[in-house]
Protein backbone atom coordinates (compact mmCIF):
# COMPACT_ATOMS: atom_id res chain seq x y z
CA UNK A 1 0.00 0.00 0.00
CA UNK A 2 1.19 3.53 -0.80
CA UNK A 3 1.63 6.19 1.89
CA UNK A 4 -1.54 8.27 2.29
CA UNK A 5 -1.88 11.51 0.36
CA UNK A 6 -3.25 14.45 2.37
CA UNK A 7 -5.95 16.60 0.83
CA UNK A 8 -7.20 19.80 2.47
CA UNK A 9 -10.58 21.16 1.43
CA UNK A 10 -11.91 24.52 2.53
CA UNK A 11 -15.64 25.14 2.61
CA UNK A 12 -16.01 21.44 3.26
CA UNK A 13 -19.54 21.77 4.67
CA UNK A 14 -20.76 23.69 1.62
CA UNK A 15 -22.56 22.52 -1.48
CA UNK A 16 -19.48 21.78 -3.55
CA UNK A 17 -17.77 20.22 -0.56
CA UNK A 18 -20.65 17.78 -0.17
CA UNK A 19 -20.34 16.73 -3.79
CA UNK A 20 -16.54 16.51 -3.65
CA UNK A 21 -15.45 14.83 -0.42
CA UNK A 22 -17.09 11.50 -0.94
CA UNK A 23 -15.60 11.05 -4.40
CA UNK A 24 -12.12 11.86 -3.15
CA UNK A 25 -12.55 9.52 -0.19
CA UNK A 26 -13.79 6.75 -2.48
CA UNK A 27 -10.61 6.75 -4.56
CA UNK A 28 -12.21 8.28 -7.65
CA UNK A 29 -9.54 10.99 -7.85
CA UNK A 30 -6.20 9.54 -6.77
CA UNK A 31 -6.86 5.94 -7.68
CA UNK A 32 -7.93 2.65 -6.10
CA UNK A 33 -4.55 1.99 -4.43
CA UNK A 34 -3.99 5.46 -2.95
CA UNK A 35 -5.04 5.97 0.70
CA UNK A 36 -6.26 9.48 1.50
CA UNK A 37 -6.22 11.73 4.59
CA UNK A 38 -8.78 14.55 4.58
CA UNK A 39 -8.32 17.86 6.37
CA UNK A 40 -11.63 19.66 6.24
CA UNK A 41 -11.60 23.38 6.88
CA UNK A 42 -14.62 25.48 7.75
CA UNK A 43 -15.45 28.68 9.56
CA UNK A 44 -16.46 28.19 13.22
CA UNK A 45 -20.24 28.54 12.71
CA UNK A 46 -20.20 25.79 10.09
CA UNK A 47 -18.35 23.26 12.28
CA UNK A 48 -21.55 21.55 13.52
CA UNK A 49 -22.64 20.97 9.91
CA UNK A 50 -19.13 19.80 9.06
CA UNK A 51 -19.29 17.30 11.90
CA UNK A 52 -22.41 15.88 10.26
CA UNK A 53 -20.46 15.45 7.03
CA UNK A 54 -17.70 13.69 8.95
CA UNK A 55 -20.30 11.34 10.46
CA UNK A 56 -21.41 10.52 6.93
CA UNK A 57 -17.83 9.90 5.82
CA UNK A 58 -17.49 7.49 8.76
CA UNK A 59 -20.69 5.79 7.70
CA UNK A 60 -19.34 5.15 4.20
CA UNK A 61 -16.51 3.00 5.66
CA UNK A 62 -14.39 3.85 2.62
CA UNK A 63 -11.49 1.38 2.40
CA UNK A 64 -9.01 4.09 1.29
CA UNK A 65 -9.95 6.77 3.79
CA UNK A 66 -7.51 7.20 6.66
CA UNK A 67 -7.51 10.25 8.91
CA UNK A 68 -10.30 12.86 8.77
CA UNK A 69 -9.64 16.16 10.56
CA UNK A 70 -12.42 18.76 10.70
CA UNK A 71 -11.14 22.15 11.82
CA UNK A 72 -11.48 25.90 11.73
CA UNK A 73 -7.75 26.31 12.37
CA UNK A 74 -5.81 27.00 9.18
CA UNK A 75 -2.52 25.65 10.52
CA UNK A 76 -4.15 22.37 11.45
CA UNK A 77 -6.15 22.34 8.23
CA UNK A 78 -3.15 22.67 5.90
CA UNK A 79 -0.66 20.64 7.94
CA UNK A 80 1.27 18.29 5.65
CA UNK A 81 -1.14 18.78 2.81
CA UNK A 82 -0.26 17.63 -0.69
CA UNK A 83 -3.35 19.07 -2.38
CA UNK A 84 -5.20 22.14 -1.09
CA UNK A 85 -8.60 22.58 -2.70
CA UNK A 86 -9.75 26.10 -1.84
CA UNK A 87 -13.50 26.01 -2.26
CA UNK A 88 -14.68 27.90 0.83
CA UNK A 89 -16.07 31.33 -0.02
CA UNK A 90 -19.38 32.97 -0.68
CA UNK A 91 -21.11 32.12 -3.99
CA UNK A 92 -22.74 34.87 -6.05
CA UNK A 93 -26.49 35.38 -6.20
CA UNK A 94 -28.64 36.12 -9.25
CA UNK A 95 -27.76 39.46 -10.82
CA UNK A 96 -24.15 39.48 -9.59
CA UNK A 97 -20.96 38.95 -11.60
CA UNK A 98 -18.32 36.71 -10.03
CA UNK A 99 -15.97 39.68 -9.75
CA UNK A 100 -18.48 41.34 -7.40
CA UNK A 101 -17.36 38.79 -4.80
CA UNK A 102 -13.79 40.06 -4.68
CA UNK A 103 -14.44 42.41 -1.78
CA UNK A 104 -16.11 39.63 0.25
CA UNK A 105 -13.92 36.66 -0.64
CA UNK A 106 -10.52 38.06 -1.63
CA UNK A 107 -9.29 38.51 1.94
CA UNK A 108 -9.93 34.84 2.77
CA UNK A 109 -7.05 33.92 0.50
CA UNK A 110 -4.32 35.97 2.15
CA UNK A 111 -4.48 33.98 5.40
CA UNK A 112 -4.91 30.71 3.52
CA UNK A 113 -1.90 31.40 1.28
CA UNK A 114 0.21 32.16 4.35
CA UNK A 115 -1.02 29.08 6.21
CA UNK A 116 -0.26 26.88 3.20
CA UNK A 117 3.28 28.25 3.05
CA UNK A 118 3.76 27.55 6.77
CA UNK A 119 2.23 24.11 6.98
CA UNK A 120 1.83 22.27 3.71
CA UNK A 121 4.01 19.48 2.34
CA UNK A 122 6.92 20.50 0.11
CA UNK A 123 5.11 19.27 -3.01
CA UNK A 124 1.82 21.05 -2.22
CA UNK A 125 -0.44 21.99 -5.12
CA UNK A 126 -3.30 24.43 -4.71
CA UNK A 127 -6.49 24.54 -6.76
CA UNK A 128 -8.77 27.52 -6.18
CA UNK A 129 -12.45 27.00 -6.90
CA UNK A 130 -13.97 29.80 -4.77
CA UNK A 131 -14.88 32.83 -6.87
CA UNK A 132 -13.57 34.94 -8.39
CA UNK A 133 -11.18 32.01 -8.61
CA UNK A 134 -8.43 33.46 -10.81
CA UNK A 135 -7.84 36.48 -8.63
CA UNK A 136 -8.33 34.54 -5.41
CA UNK A 137 -5.59 32.20 -6.63
CA UNK A 138 -3.43 35.23 -7.40
CA UNK A 139 -3.90 36.43 -3.82
CA UNK A 140 -3.13 33.02 -2.31
CA UNK A 141 -0.06 32.58 -4.53
CA UNK A 142 1.37 35.97 -3.68
CA UNK A 143 0.88 35.37 0.04
CA UNK A 144 2.39 31.89 0.02
CA UNK A 145 6.01 32.84 0.39
CA UNK A 146 8.32 30.06 -0.75
CA UNK A 147 5.73 27.95 -2.56
CA UNK A 148 6.61 27.86 -6.27
CA UNK A 149 4.16 29.77 -8.44
CA UNK A 150 3.61 26.82 -10.78
CA UNK A 151 1.83 25.00 -7.95
CA UNK A 152 -1.17 27.36 -8.03
CA UNK A 153 -4.19 26.75 -10.23
CA UNK A 154 -7.67 28.21 -10.64
CA UNK A 155 -10.55 26.22 -12.04
CA UNK A 156 -11.79 26.73 -15.60
CA UNK A 157 -12.44 23.06 -16.25
CA UNK A 158 -16.15 23.46 -15.64
CA UNK A 159 -16.18 25.96 -18.51
CA UNK A 160 -14.27 23.51 -20.72
CA UNK A 161 -16.71 20.74 -19.92
CA UNK A 162 -19.66 23.05 -20.60
CA UNK A 163 -18.16 24.12 -23.92
CA UNK A 164 -17.54 20.52 -24.98
CA UNK A 165 -21.08 19.59 -24.08
CA UNK A 166 -22.53 22.49 -26.12
CA UNK A 167 -20.43 21.64 -29.19
CA UNK A 168 -21.26 17.95 -28.93
CA UNK A 169 -24.99 18.66 -28.75
CA UNK A 170 -24.83 20.94 -31.76
CA UNK A 171 -22.87 18.37 -33.78
CA UNK A 172 -24.98 15.44 -32.49
CA UNK A 173 -21.91 13.55 -31.27
CA UNK A 174 -20.91 12.25 -27.86
CA UNK A 175 -19.00 14.86 -25.82
CA UNK A 176 -16.00 12.52 -25.60
CA UNK A 177 -15.45 13.24 -29.30
CA UNK A 178 -14.67 16.91 -28.61
CA UNK A 179 -10.99 17.61 -27.91
CA UNK A 180 -8.53 20.53 -27.86
CA UNK A 181 -11.01 22.85 -26.21
CA UNK A 182 -9.22 25.67 -24.46
CA UNK A 183 -10.81 28.21 -22.18
CA UNK A 184 -8.70 31.36 -22.26
CA UNK A 185 -8.54 34.04 -19.58
CA UNK A 186 -10.80 34.53 -16.60
CA UNK A 187 -13.51 32.26 -15.13
CA UNK A 188 -16.03 34.99 -15.78
CA UNK A 189 -18.38 36.33 -18.41
CA UNK A 190 -15.34 37.45 -20.46
CA UNK A 191 -13.82 33.98 -20.75
CA UNK A 192 -13.14 32.79 -24.27
CA UNK A 193 -14.07 29.19 -25.14
CA UNK A 194 -11.84 28.75 -28.18
CA UNK A 195 -13.81 26.92 -30.86
CA UNK A 196 -11.26 27.85 -33.54
CA UNK A 197 -8.75 25.26 -32.31
CA UNK A 198 -11.19 22.69 -30.92
CA UNK A 199 -11.79 19.42 -32.75
CA UNK A 200 -14.70 17.06 -33.16
CA UNK A 201 -13.68 13.52 -34.05
CA UNK A 202 -10.24 14.95 -34.85
CA UNK A 203 -11.58 17.50 -37.35
CA UNK A 204 -11.73 21.27 -36.89
CA UNK A 205 -15.03 22.27 -35.31
CA UNK A 206 -15.89 24.62 -38.19
CA UNK A 207 -15.68 21.65 -40.62
CA UNK A 208 -18.33 19.86 -38.60
CA UNK A 209 -20.49 22.79 -37.44
CA UNK A 210 -20.86 25.07 -40.45
CA UNK A 211 -23.03 27.55 -38.56
CA UNK A 212 -20.19 30.00 -37.88
CA UNK A 213 -22.46 32.71 -36.51
CA UNK A 214 -23.69 30.26 -33.86
CA UNK A 215 -20.09 29.49 -32.92
CA UNK A 216 -19.11 33.14 -32.70
CA UNK A 217 -22.16 34.28 -30.77
CA UNK A 218 -24.58 31.83 -29.14
CA UNK A 219 -21.96 29.23 -28.31
CA UNK A 220 -19.59 31.65 -26.61
CA UNK A 221 -22.39 33.41 -24.77
CA UNK A 222 -23.96 30.18 -23.57
CA UNK A 223 -20.67 29.05 -22.03
CA UNK A 224 -19.91 32.47 -20.56
CA UNK A 225 -23.38 32.69 -19.00
CA UNK A 226 -23.85 29.07 -17.97
CA UNK A 227 -23.09 29.72 -14.32
CA UNK A 228 -25.72 32.48 -14.22
CA UNK A 229 -28.23 30.24 -16.03
CA UNK A 230 -27.76 27.58 -13.37
CA UNK A 231 -28.19 30.09 -10.56
CA UNK A 232 -31.40 31.31 -12.22
CA UNK A 233 -32.71 27.74 -12.59
CA UNK A 234 -31.61 26.21 -9.25
CA UNK A 235 -31.57 29.28 -7.08
CA UNK A 236 -28.04 28.24 -6.12
CA UNK A 237 -24.77 28.03 -7.96
CA UNK A 238 -23.55 24.90 -9.68
CA UNK A 239 -22.28 22.36 -7.18
CA UNK A 240 -22.16 18.79 -8.49
CA UNK A 241 -20.76 19.87 -11.87
CA UNK A 242 -18.28 22.15 -10.12
CA UNK A 243 -17.09 19.34 -7.84
CA UNK A 244 -16.83 17.10 -10.87
CA UNK A 245 -14.72 19.70 -12.67
CA UNK A 246 -12.43 20.02 -9.65
CA UNK A 247 -11.93 16.25 -9.79
CA UNK A 248 -11.28 16.40 -13.54
CA UNK A 249 -8.73 19.18 -12.97
CA UNK A 250 -6.77 17.26 -10.35
CA UNK A 251 -6.89 14.08 -12.43
CA UNK A 252 -5.65 15.97 -15.49
CA UNK A 253 -2.79 17.44 -13.46
CA UNK A 254 -1.62 14.08 -12.13
CA UNK A 255 -2.01 12.13 -15.39
CA UNK A 256 -0.11 12.67 -18.66
CA UNK A 257 -2.31 14.47 -21.19
CA UNK A 258 -3.18 12.33 -24.24
CA UNK A 259 -0.88 13.12 -27.18
CA UNK A 260 -2.00 16.15 -29.18
CA UNK A 261 -4.66 17.25 -26.70
CA UNK A 262 -4.66 19.79 -23.87
CA UNK A 263 -6.79 20.77 -20.89
CA UNK A 264 -7.90 24.10 -19.48
CA UNK A 265 -6.78 25.39 -16.13
CA UNK A 266 -5.73 28.85 -15.03
CA UNK A 267 -2.01 29.02 -14.19
CA UNK A 268 0.50 31.74 -13.38
CA UNK A 269 1.30 33.22 -16.79
CA UNK A 270 4.91 33.09 -17.97
CA UNK A 271 4.05 35.61 -20.68
CA UNK A 272 3.00 33.01 -23.27
CA UNK A 273 0.48 34.24 -25.83
CA UNK A 274 1.10 37.83 -24.78
CA UNK A 275 -0.68 37.23 -21.46
CA UNK A 276 0.87 39.44 -18.79
CA UNK A 277 3.36 37.52 -16.69
CA UNK A 278 2.19 36.80 -13.16
CA UNK A 279 -1.57 36.86 -13.84
CA UNK A 280 -3.50 33.67 -13.16
CA UNK A 281 -5.01 33.05 -16.57
CA UNK A 282 -6.52 30.03 -18.25
CA UNK A 283 -4.68 28.67 -21.27
CA UNK A 284 -3.97 25.33 -22.95
CA UNK A 285 -2.00 23.07 -20.60
CA UNK A 286 -0.43 19.66 -21.04
CA UNK A 287 0.60 17.51 -18.14
CA UNK A 288 3.85 15.68 -18.79
CA UNK A 289 3.76 13.64 -15.60
CA UNK A 290 2.35 14.03 -12.10
CA UNK A 291 3.76 17.36 -10.86
CA UNK A 292 5.08 18.57 -14.23
CA UNK A 293 3.05 20.59 -16.72
CA UNK A 294 3.65 23.06 -19.52
CA UNK A 295 1.77 25.64 -21.54
CA UNK A 296 1.08 24.21 -25.00
CA UNK A 297 2.88 26.50 -27.42
CA UNK A 298 1.98 27.30 -31.00
CA UNK A 299 -1.80 27.17 -30.72
CA UNK A 300 -2.97 29.51 -33.51
CA UNK A 301 -4.58 32.72 -32.25
CA UNK A 302 -6.46 34.52 -35.04
CA UNK A 303 -7.69 38.11 -34.89
CA UNK A 304 -11.11 37.08 -33.51
CA UNK A 305 -9.51 35.00 -30.74
CA UNK A 306 -6.93 37.71 -29.97
CA UNK A 307 -9.63 40.26 -29.29
CA UNK A 308 -11.54 37.88 -27.02
CA UNK A 309 -8.42 36.80 -25.09
CA UNK A 310 -7.27 40.39 -24.64
CA UNK A 311 -10.67 41.42 -23.25
CA UNK A 312 -10.51 38.70 -20.60
CA UNK A 313 -6.89 39.50 -19.70
CA UNK A 314 -7.82 43.16 -19.32
CA UNK A 315 -10.47 42.12 -16.81
CA UNK A 316 -7.89 40.07 -14.90
CA UNK A 317 -5.60 43.09 -14.77
CA UNK A 318 -8.46 45.19 -13.40
CA UNK A 319 -9.25 42.55 -10.76
CA UNK A 320 -5.56 42.40 -9.82
CA UNK A 321 -5.44 46.18 -9.47
CA UNK A 322 -8.59 46.12 -7.32
CA UNK A 323 -6.94 43.78 -4.79
CA UNK A 324 -3.49 45.33 -4.76
CA UNK A 325 -3.77 45.85 -0.98
CA UNK A 326 -3.94 42.07 -0.57
CA UNK A 327 -0.80 41.44 -2.62
CA UNK A 328 2.47 41.84 -0.73
CA UNK A 329 4.82 44.29 -2.49
N1 LIG B 1 -14.54 27.99 -10.45
C1 LIG B 1 -15.72 27.45 -10.69
O1 LIG B 1 -15.94 26.93 -11.79
C2 LIG B 1 -16.81 27.44 -9.66
C3 LIG B 1 -17.96 26.68 -9.89
C4 LIG B 1 -18.97 26.70 -8.94
C5 LIG B 1 -18.84 27.42 -7.77
N2 LIG B 1 -17.71 28.14 -7.58
C6 LIG B 1 -17.51 28.92 -6.34
O2 LIG B 1 -17.20 28.02 -5.28
C7 LIG B 1 -17.51 28.65 -4.03
C8 LIG B 1 -18.26 27.71 -3.12
O3 LIG B 1 -19.52 27.39 -3.65
P1 LIG B 1 -20.57 26.52 -2.85
O4 LIG B 1 -21.74 26.34 -3.74
O5 LIG B 1 -19.94 25.31 -2.25
O6 LIG B 1 -20.95 27.55 -1.69
P2 LIG B 1 -21.62 27.25 -0.26
O7 LIG B 1 -22.07 28.54 0.27
O8 LIG B 1 -22.58 26.11 -0.36
O9 LIG B 1 -20.38 26.73 0.57
C9 LIG B 1 -19.29 27.54 0.85
C10 LIG B 1 -18.72 27.07 2.17
O10 LIG B 1 -17.54 27.82 2.40
C11 LIG B 1 -17.48 28.08 3.76
N3 LIG B 1 -16.57 29.20 4.00
C12 LIG B 1 -16.81 30.53 3.87
N4 LIG B 1 -15.73 31.23 4.22
C13 LIG B 1 -14.77 30.34 4.53
C14 LIG B 1 -13.43 30.44 4.99
N5 LIG B 1 -12.86 31.63 5.18
N6 LIG B 1 -12.75 29.31 5.24
C15 LIG B 1 -13.31 28.12 5.07
N7 LIG B 1 -14.59 27.94 4.65
C16 LIG B 1 -15.30 29.03 4.40
C17 LIG B 1 -18.91 28.36 4.18
O11 LIG B 1 -19.11 28.18 5.58
C18 LIG B 1 -19.65 27.33 3.35
O12 LIG B 1 -19.84 26.11 4.05
C19 LIG B 1 -18.28 29.93 -4.40
O13 LIG B 1 -17.39 31.03 -4.36
C20 LIG B 1 -18.72 29.66 -5.83
O14 LIG B 1 -18.96 30.83 -6.54
C21 LIG B 1 -16.69 28.16 -8.49
O1 LIG C 1 -21.44 31.17 -11.83
C1 LIG C 1 -21.15 31.10 -10.63
O2 LIG C 1 -21.23 32.06 -9.87
C2 LIG C 1 -20.74 29.77 -10.05
C3 LIG C 1 -19.68 29.13 -10.86
O3 LIG C 1 -18.57 29.97 -11.07
C4 LIG C 1 -20.16 28.57 -12.18
O4 LIG C 1 -19.54 28.86 -13.21
O5 LIG C 1 -21.17 27.84 -12.17
Amino acid sequence: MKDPITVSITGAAGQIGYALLFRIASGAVFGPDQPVNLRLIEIEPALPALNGVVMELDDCAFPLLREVVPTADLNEGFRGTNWALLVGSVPRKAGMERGDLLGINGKIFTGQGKAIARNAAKDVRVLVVGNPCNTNALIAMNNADGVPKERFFAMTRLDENRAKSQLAKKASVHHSKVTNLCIWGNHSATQYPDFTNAKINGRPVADVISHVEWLKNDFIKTVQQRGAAIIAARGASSAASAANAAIDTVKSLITPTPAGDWHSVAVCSDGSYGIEKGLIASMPIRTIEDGKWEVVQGVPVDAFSREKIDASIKELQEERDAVKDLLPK
Side-chain angles (χ1 to χ4, degrees):
M1 240 338 175
K2 295 176 175 172
D3 287 339
I5 193 168
T6 299
V7 183
S8 299
I9 300 162
T10 68
Q15 282 206 88
I16 295 176
Y18 198 66
L20 184 59
L21 300 183
F22 297 85
R23 290 180 69 188
I24 295 175
S26 75
V29 182
F30 296 100
D33 60 346
Q34 176 59 66
V36 179
N37 295 326
L38 289 178
R39 294 194 163 248
L40 308 178
I41 304 172
E42 262 296 350
I43 50 173
E44 291 278 351
L47 286 179
L50 183 59
N51 283 328
V53 176
V54 173
M55 286 158 73
E56 286 204 73
L57 280 168
D58 288 346
D59 296 349
C60 290
F62 286 121
L64 292 168
L65 187 58
R66 297 289 186 270
E67 196 186 34
V68 180
V69 179
T71 183
D73 179 274
L74 293 180
N75 291 325
E76 189 178 26
F78 291 120
R79 190 158 300 135
T81 200
N82 305 105
W83 273 96
L85 308 181
L86 307 187
V87 179
S89 51
V90 175
R92 66 172 165 158
K93 306 274 181 311
M96 292 169 79
E97 288 298 339
R98 298 179 186 96
D100 297 337
L101 295 170
L102 255 191
I104 308 169
N105 289 337
K107 53 187 175 297
I108 294 174
F109 294 84
T110 58
Q112 292 187 355
K114 289 187 171 86
I116 287 168
R118 277 196 308 270
N119 296 284
K122 279 213 161 6
D123 67 351
V124 67
R125 277 170 276 179
V126 181
L127 172 65
V128 180
V129 173
N131 278 321
C133 60
N134 297 55
T135 300
N136 289 338
L138 182 84
I139 296 168
M141 179 181 80
N142 280 286
N143 281 280
D145 214 12
V147 183
K149 292 195 178 341
E150 66 270 16
R151 308 271 193 75
F152 287 81
F153 306 92
M155 191 167 94
T156 52
R157 183 57 166 270
L158 179 54
D159 309 295
E160 176 187 320
N161 289 347
R162 288 166 171 169
K164 284 180 167 171
S165 161
Q166 292 300 317
L167 291 176
K169 274 202 171 65
K170 185 76 173 174
S172 301
V173 299
H174 190 258
H175 41 259
S176 59
K177 303 297 180 197
V178 186
T179 60
N180 301 85
L181 193 300
C182 173
I183 302 294
W184 294 90
N186 199 1
H187 172 63
S188 76
T190 66
Q191 67 175 276
Y192 173 48
D194 182 358
F195 64 86
T196 69
N197 289 296
K199 293 183 180 152
I200 296 177
N201 278 318
R203 296 168 60 204
V205 162
D207 287 2
V208 181
I209 299 172
S210 55
H211 193 170
V212 177
E213 283 314 302
W214 179 85
L215 288 168
K216 285 185 160 173
N217 297 297
D218 298 29
F219 164 67
I220 294 178
K221 196 151 198 123
T222 300
V223 178
Q224 288 175 335
Q225 294 296 335
R226 188 67 161 187
I230 288 167
I231 291 170
R234 290 182 82 225
S237 75
S238 62
S241 57
N244 182 66
I247 287 167
D248 283 350
T249 307
V250 174
K251 281 168 79 175
S252 287
L253 287 168
I254 62 176
T255 317
T257 307
D261 203 358
W262 51 71
H263 60 96
S264 306
V265 59
V267 298
C268 180
S269 175
D270 63 355
S272 294
Y273 297 99
I275 297 171
E276 186 184 332
K277 209 171 161 179
L279 289 175
I280 299 277
S282 186
M283 54 188 102
I285 300 298
R286 306 186 39 75
T287 301
I288 298 151
E289 61 186 34
D290 188 359
K292 213 165 154 200
W293 58 266
E294 65 186 10
V295 179
V296 179
Q297 300 297 335
V299 175
V301 175
D302 64 13
F304 178 84
S305 300
R306 185 77 259 167
E307 196 181 312
K308 299 280 182 207
I309 294 169
D310 286 351
S312 199
I313 298 307
K314 181 166 175 282
E315 182 184 46
L316 283 173
Q317 290 165 331
E318 287 164 3
E319 286 186 13
R320 186 245 347 250
D321 294 346
V323 299
K324 61 178 187 312
D325 292 349
L326 303 178
L327 306 174
K329 297 287 164 309

